[in-house]
Amino acid sequence: MDDHGRFDDIVRSERYFTATLLPLILFEGFGKDYRGINAFLRLLSPKQARGRTGEIMNEFDWLPSVGDRNEEPQVITEFHIKRDLHFSRPGLFDAPESEQSRDAAPGEETAKERRDAPDLVLILGQTFVVCEGKFFDNGSSSLTRLNDQLRSQRSQVKYLFDADSRLNAYVHVALVPAKHDGEYDCDAVITWEQIADLAEQVLGPDSYAARRLRAASRVYEENRGDRTTKNYDGILSLEGIVAKCKEVGESIWVGHVGGPSDLKTREIAYAKTKKWKWRNPKTNNGNADRKNWIDGSQFLTLIESMRKV
């Protein structure tokens, strides 16, 4: 590029984020402690899931850590479910001739089925996670289109239940640049800003995934021209946030994915390299998941404990 900018900072395809950057996080510790996948699952923590017939399972008993299983998890991007299952098991899902679409031959995808292919599927024992990602949308009007796609996508998901009798539930997730007003027709909604936080937590703030996700979020905000929904008021170094908390610790929250319980597992070297977000919950109206924020006074106590180790 003439201005010596980066090509990977101008990419607008969701596939770059769902099939390149997010898997970098998920595959961290794969085959060992599965640190990346487990951190992602903790971020989801949905209150509901969906069963084999599409029924909503409220107060869903969420997945145990992946390391608790003997079966290796499966991480699949761009999963064209019906097409790929048909290829492996010819005739399994052939519809009667009267029901076949004119848009595709038997075993081939229609345009609608291509659109409904999930961006990411995680198979985790008897449960699985289906993710649909959007990044550069054009505001709240995109929510209607996203919900239409999510509902249609579930017609693809049912084929996984048909193909594997062990599966008994799944969680449908939307990955979005910002949460708009309105109901999302899925079980969990995660912003890419939260995924950027996750990348910093799992891979470090200077990791490729974290830097690219931060840059993409800045581009989104600049093009959207609306910063009023940010859920944080500033970003500081460790010493800066410590000084801020000493000054007004009772009135601010400090951001950290996983909250106090996760920060307790960290070392001071991690805290020194991280850039810390803070917010005043009384004046900031941005959407904030409380479990990922720490009271300023509690944050000081945790940091002091880390320094003593």
Side-chain angles (χ1 to χ4, degrees):
M1 299 174 67
D2 292 341
D3 61 356
H4 302 291
R6 297 184 62 97
F7 293 115
D8 53 7
D9 279 345
I10 64 171
V11 176
R12 296 180 62 86
S13 170
E14 278 88 9
R15 292 183 184 182
Y16 173 62
F17 302 99
T18 58
T20 300
L21 297 183
L22 181 53
L24 286 177
I25 305 170
L26 298 177
F27 281 119
E28 178 67 15
F30 202 87
K32 299 176 183 176
D33 58 1
Y34 295 101
R35 181 165 170 249
I37 289 181
N38 284 325
F40 180 67
L41 297 180
R42 288 194 298 272
L43 179 62
L44 294 185
S45 299
K47 297 297 184 183
Q48 67 179 40
R50 297 168 194 262
R52 296 184 66 89
T53 62
E55 74 277 13
I56 298 296
M57 303 165 64
N58 290 314
E59 295 302 321
F60 178 55
D61 186 11
W62 185 231
L63 303 159
S65 296
V66 172
D68 295 341
R69 296 184 179 80
N70 294 322
E71 184 178 353
E72 184 177 71
Q74 302 174 50
V75 181
I76 311 168
T77 60
E78 291 296 312
F79 193 3
H80 293 240
I81 298 173
K82 183 179 179 182
R83 179 200 67 184
D84 296 343
L85 287 173
H86 183 278
F87 179 80
S88 65
R89 307 177 191 182
L92 182 60
F93 302 119
D94 280 353
E97 185 175 350
S98 60
E99 298 179 10
Q100 289 179 8
S101 169
R102 296 179 181 178
D103 297 334
E108 295 182 357
E109 288 183 300
T110 65
K112 176 179 176 297
E113 288 169 343
R114 283 192 295 273
R115 186 199 69 164
D116 293 344
D119 291 314
L120 175 71
V121 176
L122 302 178
I123 308 292
L124 306 161
Q126 295 179 320
T127 312
F128 58 103
V129 179
V130 178
C131 299
E132 179 60 33
K134 301 297 179 188
F135 208 114
F136 294 97
D137 63 20
N138 61 353
S140 58
S141 62
S142 63
L143 178 56
T144 299
R145 294 194 300 275
L146 173 59
N147 281 337
D148 287 343
Q149 185 175 4
L150 290 169
R151 285 189 288 268
S152 182
Q153 194 169 77
R154 290 196 278 275
S155 66
Q156 281 279 306
V157 171
K158 68 180 183 180
Y159 293 123
L160 289 177
F161 285 116
D162 293 339
D164 191 338
S165 60
R166 297 172 300 174
L167 297 175
N168 58 26
Y170 75 101
V171 176
H172 209 173
V173 182
L175 304 171
V176 298
K179 293 181 181 178
H180 300 301
D181 292 336
E183 294 294 326
Y184 286 79
D185 195 355
C186 56
D187 310 308
V189 182
I190 303 297
T191 68
W192 285 104
E193 192 74 19
Q194 290 176 282
I195 298 297
D197 290 341
L198 190 69
E200 289 192 356
Q201 173 191 335
V202 174
L203 302 173
D206 293 325
S207 64
Y208 178 81
R211 288 184 288 115
R212 298 285 69 76
L213 287 165
R214 290 292 183 214
S217 293
R218 287 194 297 270
V219 171
Y220 173 77
E221 291 289 346
E222 290 168 1
N223 283 283
R224 185 171 62 150
D226 175 16
R227 295 175 178 271
T228 60
T229 58
K230 273 188 175 180
N231 67 356
Y232 61 94
D233 298 307
I235 303 177
L236 296 169
S237 65
L238 177 61
E239 296 311 315
I241 194 63
V242 166
K244 186 77 174 177
C245 288
K246 287 181 178 179
E247 179 185 358
V248 292
E250 294 298 325
S251 62
I252 66 169
W253 297 349
V254 181
H256 180 71
V257 176
S261 59
D262 184 86
L263 188 56
K264 289 177 182 178
T265 68
R266 303 291 177 170
E267 297 179 352
I268 193 63
Y270 165 84
K272 288 180 177 179
T273 60
K274 179 174 177 175
K275 300 299 183 183
W276 296 93
K277 292 181 179 178
W278 65 273
R279 73 189 305 263
N280 184 331
K282 292 184 178 179
T283 58
N284 188 302
N285 296 319
N287 190 295
D289 190 337
R290 187 65 179 90
K291 70 175 181 293
N292 294 322
W293 294 87
I294 307 170
D295 291 332
S297 55
Q298 183 182 16
F299 179 78
L300 287 176
T301 300
L302 291 171
I303 293 299
E304 185 62 28
S305 298
M306 293 167 70
R307 293 188 194 275
K308 292 179 180 178
V309 175

